[in-house]
Amino acid sequence: MHRLPEISLQRPYRTTINRKVSTNELGKFAEMMLEMLPEDLAFTVFVPSAKAFERDLRLQVNDSLVGDKMNNTDAIISRVLGFSAVPRTLSSVSVPYGEGISYDSLSGFTLYISKGLDGMLMVNRVRSERVDVKKGKLLVHVMDGVIMDAEFEQSVQLDFNEGD
């Protein structure tokens, strides 16, 4: 009878998790998103990074938060929140390796979530930059992109093309 080799249960990588951060580290637009949620309920939010807000949505702190643009910025951020928030706590540790899980976001948009060997999450083909950032009862995963449906993505692209 052959014996199977023993496997180490230790992680082959290092991930920073459950680190409390100030909202300044998340960025102004992420802070605005999180402020739209009730503080006393548990949510998981897949927040775009500051770079992703600028790159994918063309939102800039020194421009998008002034005058008439503020209402448009609020509308965009609340729409993105609907696509990227789940009314439950979903830490990276609870996502199994090698298999995807799915949850409906607040807007009913289905999020397909998986985890790489490095512990980072993939949500609808958008990779996380940081995972398991706690902000009160909220659990935040900072994403290198914006989670949105095809219709909203197309409307954002149309706005970009009109501005060029």
Side-chain angles (χ1 to χ4, degrees):
M1 186 165 143
H2 292 96
R3 293 183 62 95
L4 294 174
E6 288 189 29
I7 346 176
S8 169
L9 297 178
Q10 292 183 331
R11 296 181 191 192
Y13 54 85
R14 192 178 147 102
T15 306
T16 304
I17 58 173
N18 289 331
R19 195 181 82 144
K20 292 188 178 192
V21 297
S22 71
T23 50
N24 290 342
E25 287 185 64
L26 296 175
K28 179 63 178 166
F29 298 119
E31 178 184 331
M32 289 171 66
M33 272 180 75
L34 298 177
E35 287 173 356
M36 292 177 179
L37 291 169
E39 291 180 18
D40 58 339
L41 297 175
F43 282 92
T44 298
V45 188
F46 300 96
V47 174
S49 67
K51 249 193 299 188
F53 271 113
E54 187 170 336
R55 180 189 65 224
D56 300 342
L57 297 173
R58 302 239 175 117
L59 294 180
Q60 298 172 334
V61 174
N62 60 353
D63 181 51
S64 302
L65 299 175
V66 288
D68 295 341
K69 292 183 179 183
M70 186 65 189
N71 287 338
N72 190 37
T73 300
D74 274 342
I76 290 169
I77 288 174
S78 66
R79 190 86 190 269
V80 171
L81 175 65
F83 294 129
S84 57
V86 179
R88 60 171 298 150
T89 300
L90 183 64
S91 71
S92 64
V93 176
S94 67
V95 178
Y97 290 103
E99 57 185 89
I101 56 175
S102 64
Y103 289 99
D104 285 344
S105 69
L106 292 178
S107 69
F109 183 59
T110 303
L111 302 179
Y112 299 97
I113 306 162
S114 61
K115 180 166 56 175
L117 289 176
D118 61 356
M120 293 292 116
L121 299 177
M122 287 288 286
V123 182
N124 294 23
R125 296 189 313 257
V126 177
R127 188 177 191 285
S128 63
E129 290 182 354
R130 292 196 346 224
V131 297
D132 300 329
V133 177
K134 291 211 75 50
K135 179 149 180 7
K137 289 195 174 204
L138 301 177
L139 187 60
V140 178
H141 304 291
V142 180
M143 308 302 290
D144 182 26
V146 180
I147 298 166
M148 55 187 150
D149 70 5
E151 181 184 336
F152 185 64
E153 185 174 3
Q154 191 172 32
S155 75
V156 168
Q157 293 304 320
L158 287 174
D159 287 348
F160 288 170
N161 293 336
E162 288 173 7
D164 290 344

